[in-house]
Amino acid sequence: MVTDGSPAESNEGSPLVQIRSLLPGLARAEQRVANIVLADPAAISRQSITEVAEAAGTSETTVTRFCKAIGVGGYPDLRIALAADTARTSTRDRELGSDIAPDDDVAQIISKIGYTDAKAVEETAGQLDPEALEALVAAVAAARRVDIYGVGASAFVAQDLQQKLHRIGLTGFAWSDTHAALTSAAVLGPADVAIGISHTGATAETVEALREARRRGATTAALTNFARSPITETADHVLTTAVRETTYRSGAMSSRIGQLTVIDCLFVGVAQRHLDQTKAALEATYEAVAGHRLGSRPDRRRHKEP
């Protein structure tokens, strides 16, 4: 089963999460509408379709087309959704959710980053498609081996998944070098799984490796922030994050928070399917490194659960 994980087909959540996820795949005129909505959703919830069209420099038809593209029936439905979303958000939340200002002090920076990171986890979990996750859990649990592709910040997330899989005795390899990723993908087959991690979904090296893995018959999956990005075109399963970029926190910084949330969900799901093996492997790996913890004595009753 192909599970694309697009917001319109998964759990309903904030319309702003859906808009941000679909933004790169929208037509240019629709993107202008999206940017108007994202800039001030509370104001849009009170404006007519004509006012929004004029502000975006487009037509009412385009606004209607934009609404359908993000999974709402029409402009009246969008206004209702935005009004409800605004009502759920307190004044303090709106303040902390704003961009970091050049004159913010350290305390404000801490508060805003803490809020943004917590929000990334909350919104990622809220829109994550359980069916898409379940399908990938089943594929990984049954796989002969798992290849994980990611470059830049996504490479660290790929390494985290590799470490988690190895910790419970499953075979996984994280590749950040293009040549290594491609040569590894070339020897995969139907018994294997390949996972590409890319915040933008447009990282050429990751997309290329995932495409090669699929060509060789492997089950493929993508983890991205954008449900209509190039990487999703070569993935059997798509899992999405819901991460916002700000002036000081590019996708490379903030994407890891959402990606690691999804990776944790994937890992626990796989570990559940190998519960006896998982318990034995966690016990063995904990004991193997226990002697390298200064001033502590291993407690063998701990770390038996994933």
Side-chain angles (χ1 to χ4, degrees), residues 96-168:
L96 290 177
S98 64
D99 204 349
I100 296 174
D103 59 349
D104 279 349
D105 59 29
V106 172
Q108 290 172 306
I109 292 172
I110 293 171
S111 295
K112 287 187 176 182
I113 289 179
Y115 174 88
T116 302
D117 285 355
K119 201 69 176 175
V121 172
E122 178 187 346
E123 292 184 344
T124 292
Q127 59 79 57
L128 189 58
D129 185 349
E131 291 186 5
L133 179 62
E134 179 66 25
L136 184 54
V137 164
V140 171
R144 178 181 70 98
R145 62 179 269 188
V146 180
D147 262 20
I148 313 144
Y149 313 123
V151 301
S154 294
F156 298 111
V157 179
Q159 290 170 5
D160 181 74
L161 178 55
Q162 173 191 287
Q163 189 271 342
K164 281 180 165 63
L165 293 177
H166 279 197
R167 183 93 193 274
I168 60 172

Side-chain angles (χ1 to χ4, degrees), residues 3 30 38 41 74 79 99 110 125 130 147 173 182 186 192 242 263 266 288:
T3 48
E30 293 170 359
L38 291 173
R79 288 184 60 184
D99 204 349
I110 293 171
D147 262 20
F173 301 97
L182 287 171
D192 305 313
I263 291 302
L266 173 62

Side-chain angles (χ1 to χ4, degrees), residues 148-160 176 196-200 203 206 223 252 255-256 259:
I148 313 144
Y149 313 123
V151 301
S154 294
F156 298 111
V157 179
Q159 290 170 5
D160 181 74
S176 58
I197 303 174
S198 170
H199 174 72
T200 64
T203 307
T206 304
L223 174 55
S255 62
R256 292 193 300 272
Q259 289 171 351

